[in-house]
C-alpha cells in the first residue's frame, strides 16, 4: 500500500520509516513484477495493468498486430497481407500443436514466443522493402510485384526455423515429415 501513494496524483513515496520522497514531474517509476499475487486492486488499476492468460488471447491478435506493421510498400499488393494472414491462420496453430504433442522439445517454449520468432524472421526479409529518405515508397512497386512467388516459400522457411527451432535432433525428422 505504500507504493499506492506514489501512484496517486501527489506522487509521494511514503516509506516504512516514515520518510516521504516526493517525485518531480519529470520522474517516472517503472515496475516489473513476476505476478500480481500480492497486488491490490487499487495498485492494478492505478498502474493500468491488465493480465490475461495467453490461452485466452488466441493467436489472431498476434497475426493481426503483425500484419498491421508490415512495410507500407506492401500496400501496393494488398493480397500479400491477405496471403500472409491466411498462412498464419492455416499453418501456425496446427504446427504448434504438432510440435508440442508430436515432438520432443529441447527447451519448452511458449507458443506466443515461437510466433514472435516467426514474425521476426519474416521481418528480417521484409526490412528491405521499408522506404527511407533515399528510397521513397513509390520506388518499391516493381520489387514488391516481384515478391509474389517468394511469399509462400519464405513463410514456410521461417515457419520451420522458428516453430521447429525447439525440437530435438530425433524429432527434427518427425517435424520434417510433418512439414513436407
Amino acid at each position: 500500500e505504500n507504493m499506492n501513494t506514489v501512484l496517486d496524483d501527489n506522487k509521494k513515496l511514503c516509506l516504512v520509516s516514515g520518510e516521504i520522497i516526493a517525485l518531480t514531474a519529470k520522474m517516472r517509476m517503472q515496475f516489473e513484477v513476476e505476478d500480481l499475487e500480492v497486488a491490490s486492486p487499487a495498485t492494478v488499476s492505478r498502474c493500468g495493468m491488465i493480465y490475461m492468460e495467453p490461452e485466452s488471447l488466441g493467436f489472431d491478435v498476434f497475426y493481426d498486430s503483425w500484419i498491421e506493421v508490415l512495410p507500407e510498400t506492401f500496400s501496393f499488393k494488398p493480397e500479400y497481407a491477405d496471403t500472409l494472414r491466411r498462412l498464419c491462420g492455416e499453418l501456425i496453430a496446427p504446427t504448434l500443436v504438432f510440435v508440442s504433442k508430436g515432438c520432443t522439445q529441447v527447451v519448452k517454449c511458449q507458443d506466443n514466443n515461437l510466433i514472435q520468432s516467426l514474425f521476426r524472421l519474416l521481418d528480417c526479409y521484409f526490412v528491405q522493402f521499408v522506404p527511407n529518405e533515399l528510397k521513397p515508397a513509390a520506388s518499391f512497386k516493381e520489387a514488391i510485384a516481384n515478391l509474389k512467388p517468394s511469399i509462400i516459400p519464405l513463410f514456410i522457411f521461417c515457419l520451420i526455423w522458428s516453430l521447429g527451432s525447439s525440437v530435438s535432433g530425433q524429432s527434427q525428422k518427425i517435424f520434417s515429415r510433418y512439414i513436407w
Side-chain angles (χ1 to χ4, degrees):
E1 286 303 312
N2 290 337
M3 186 180 71
N4 280 336
T5 59
V6 80
L7 298 174
D8 286 337
D9 291 335
N10 62 14
K11 293 188 178 183
K12 292 183 180 179
L13 178 60
C14 299
L15 302 177
V16 177
S17 65
E19 184 181 354
I20 297 175
I21 301 173
L23 298 180
T24 66
K26 295 182 180 181
M27 295 173 88
R28 299 286 184 260
M29 292 188 77
Q30 182 174 340
F31 303 98
E32 183 175 337
V33 296
E34 183 177 331
D35 56 45
L36 300 176
E37 192 171 309
V38 294
S40 70
T43 302
V44 172
S45 67
R46 285 186 179 115
C47 289
M49 290 184 252
I50 299 175
Y51 178 78
M52 297 181 71
E53 293 289 334
E55 295 81 23
S56 65
L57 282 176
F59 299 133
D60 289 340
V61 293
F62 291 113
Y63 311 156
D64 295 338
S65 64
W66 176 69
I67 286 173
E68 282 181 23
V69 295
L70 285 172
E72 66 182 83
T73 53
F74 276 51
S75 64
F76 297 135
K77 291 285 188 180
E79 64 266 20
Y80 290 176
D82 296 338
T83 299
L84 289 167
R85 179 69 173 87
R86 181 181 54 78
L87 290 168
C88 287
E90 291 175 3
L91 299 177
I92 292 178
T95 304
L96 287 170
V97 169
F98 181 81
V99 166
S100 66
K101 304 261 191 251
C103 297
T104 304
Q105 294 178 300
V106 176
V107 176
K108 178 70 177 145
C109 297
Q110 293 293 318
D111 291 346
N112 57 346
N113 290 338
L114 292 172
I115 293 170
Q116 288 301 321
S117 295
L118 168 66
F119 294 156
R120 285 189 188 110
L121 278 175
L122 286 165
D123 287 341
C124 289
Y125 289 98
F126 295 156
V127 73
Q128 62 186 316
F129 301 107
V130 176
N132 56 43
E133 57 276 350
L134 298 175
K135 199 165 181 184
S139 65
F140 287 95
K141 279 192 177 185
E142 186 178 336
I144 291 292
N146 293 335
L147 184 62
K148 184 174 184 166
S150 303
I151 291 282
I152 294 174
L154 182 61
F155 187 90
I156 299 297
F157 174 82
C158 293
L159 181 87
I160 291 167
W161 283 98
S162 57
L163 275 59
S165 64
S166 65
V167 301
S168 68
Q170 293 174 337
S171 290
Q172 287 175 359
K173 293 174 185 170
I174 298 167
F175 183 71
S176 181
R177 282 194 298 270
Y178 169 77
I179 293 293
W180 303 115

